[in-house]
Amino acid sequence: MDGVIKTNDEGIDALTEEDIMEWVSEEEDRLSEIQLFRLVLIWCKRCGIAQFLHFTKYINFSRFPPQERSIADIDEYITSNINKHFEELPKEYTDELKKQIDNALYQSELLHSEDVEMITGKESFRWMPYYRMYPGENFPWHILHEVMAEDARKLLVFKVFDGRQYWTLACTIAGIYNYDQDPIVIGSGNYEASIFMSRHSDPRGMVKLAREYVIELLSQRLDIYFKKKGNTFISLIGKDEQETILSVALDRFDRSFMQSNVGSRIRKQYVVAFEIFKLSPQPHVDYKPYHQAE
């Protein structure tokens, strides 16, 4: 990446919105998360706060130094910096920022706040960002295999377009799944999963998978079905190196969801965006590297 952000803020005034986006989305030569947060604050102060909450979605707060990993310490650090760089930041900005710190699902580019609240319910899980696929990039099957093989709760978020509107599918999955192994039956051991579907308006669909649902992960295919493949709920298939398609049986959701989406079909639609989140074993500890597309 060209250029260096100096500690005396030299050169920040010359940066454009595209430059800031490049800095916060960079992974290979990434600044520390605190440096990035400070950069965003200073640039937004000088050039406008409209993009502030968009840029902070790319700050991995679980990567803050150990002495600042607790919510209280992060809040104190952020509050002191906001007070330093902004005379008055609108309350809705600080409220939304605190949500992002407490639960990384609020940093998702694919989920709305109402989606997150339905997915998490009353659970107090602390999610961390793990991977984000940008438009035009190949679907990362190797990253999907890696995260599915870990003994951690993961949330897979997909965005597809059915020709009329965009849909978001979110799969919360617990348990270890190795590709090309025998299919795993939900309800055995600690295997569990739930499926969420949204057009970012009510009603939203939510299904907790019952026993006898099966998850099967292959080299470039992920299927979720009831007892046998003829009863497929979710099917994710890599067509080639560039394209991956998703099919969802919308009739598996409740009646109100179906009545609001009569005539809608998600059948072999191209995946246009993809994110992965993982459950943190303890608050604000990033115990695995944060992956972005290679």
Side-chain angles (χ1 to χ4, degrees):
M1 181 177 293
D2 296 331
V4 177
I5 301 299
K6 303 291 184 61
T7 56
N8 62 359
D9 306 336
E10 179 184 343
I12 290 182
D13 286 340
L15 296 176
T16 65
E17 183 176 320
E18 290 74 21
D19 292 330
I20 300 298
M21 189 64 212
E22 183 179 357
W23 278 103
V24 296
S25 60
E26 173 64 29
E27 181 63 20
E28 185 175 345
D29 299 317
R30 190 175 181 85
L31 297 173
S32 74
E33 303 306 307
I34 284 182
Q35 287 176 311
L36 287 172
F37 182 74
R38 183 172 178 273
L39 170 64
V40 167
L41 273 172
I42 295 173
W43 187 88
C44 287
K45 174 193 176 184
R46 297 177 181 180
C47 303
I49 65 170
Q51 292 298 313
F52 177 67
L53 290 174
H54 175 67
F55 290 143
T56 58
K57 286 188 174 184
Y58 294 82
I59 305 296
N60 189 342
F61 293 104
S62 63
R63 278 184 164 185
F64 270 48
Q67 67 272 21
E68 293 165 335
R69 275 183 177 158
S70 74
I71 290 177
D73 288 340
I74 292 177
D75 277 347
E76 181 179 354
Y77 177 87
I78 288 174
T79 299
S80 64
N81 275 270
I82 286 176
N83 291 340
K84 177 181 178 182
H85 295 293
F86 291 99
E87 292 183 3
E88 182 178 356
L89 190 69
K91 186 175 184 297
E92 59 267 25
Y93 279 68
T94 55
D95 288 348
E96 188 62 29
L97 183 60
K98 287 180 179 179
K99 285 184 178 180
Q100 291 183 13
I101 295 168
D102 192 38
N103 184 347
L105 297 190
Y106 287 102
Q107 294 180 288
S108 172
E109 291 284 356
L110 309 183
L111 298 171
H112 290 191
S113 293
E114 295 82 1
D115 301 332
V116 174
E117 288 157 12
M118 185 169 181
I119 290 170
T120 58
K122 297 181 179 180
E123 296 173 338
S124 58
F125 294 147
R126 301 197 188 285
W127 293 92
M128 302 185 311
Y130 187 76
Y131 177 85
R132 180 180 279 135
M133 182 184 88
Y134 292 97
E137 294 175 340
N138 295 342
F139 189 85
W141 284 100
H142 63 296
I143 297 295
L144 179 60
H145 294 157
E146 175 185 301
V147 75
M148 290 290 285
E150 293 188 23
D151 188 13
R153 187 181 295 264
K154 38 263 182 184
L155 181 70
L156 314 178
V157 188
F158 305 87
K159 182 178 181 180
V160 297
F161 184 65
D162 68 358
R164 297 183 304 163
Q165 58 195 344
Y166 286 100
W167 294 78
T168 295
L169 169 73
C171 305
T172 306
I173 300 174
I176 299 174
Y177 302 82
N178 293 302
Y179 80 93
D180 288 338
Q181 74 175 47
D182 292 337
I184 298 294
V185 179
I186 295 297
S188 60
N190 65 341
Y191 295 104
E192 58 180 70
S194 59
I195 309 297
F196 170 85
M197 199 80 191
S198 171
R199 293 181 292 112
H200 306 310
S201 61
D202 290 328
R204 293 165 166 82
M206 188 78 175
V207 175
K208 182 176 176 60
L209 297 189
R211 291 177 178 274
E212 297 189 82
Y213 267 94
V214 177
I215 296 182
E216 184 174 4
L217 179 63
L218 303 176
S219 177
Q220 291 196 25
R221 182 165 183 149
L222 173 65
D223 289 310
I224 300 177
Y225 52 88
F226 185 67
K227 293 186 178 181
K228 57 183 180 180
K229 282 193 174 181
N231 297 320
T232 300
F233 186 179
I234 308 289
S235 184
L236 180 73
I237 303 173
K239 287 186 62 179
D240 51 41
E241 292 184 358
Q242 285 76 40
E243 297 177 337
T244 295
I245 55 176
L246 178 70
S247 298
V248 183
L250 298 179
D251 59 0
R252 300 301 174 93
F253 296 98
D254 64 26
R255 181 178 299 178
S256 64
F257 181 85
M258 286 302 303
Q259 289 175 341
S260 298
N261 295 287
V262 174
S264 296
R265 298 180 67 193
I266 308 298
R267 181 173 172 79
K268 297 182 179 180
Q269 307 297 341
Y270 291 108
V271 175
V272 297
F274 176 54
E275 295 175 335
I276 301 175
F277 296 86
K278 286 176 58 177
L279 190 64
S280 173
Q282 53 183 303
H284 295 97
V285 177
D286 188 2
Y287 63 106
K288 277 287 188 178
Y290 176 46
H291 291 278
Q292 303 227 210
E294 296 179 353

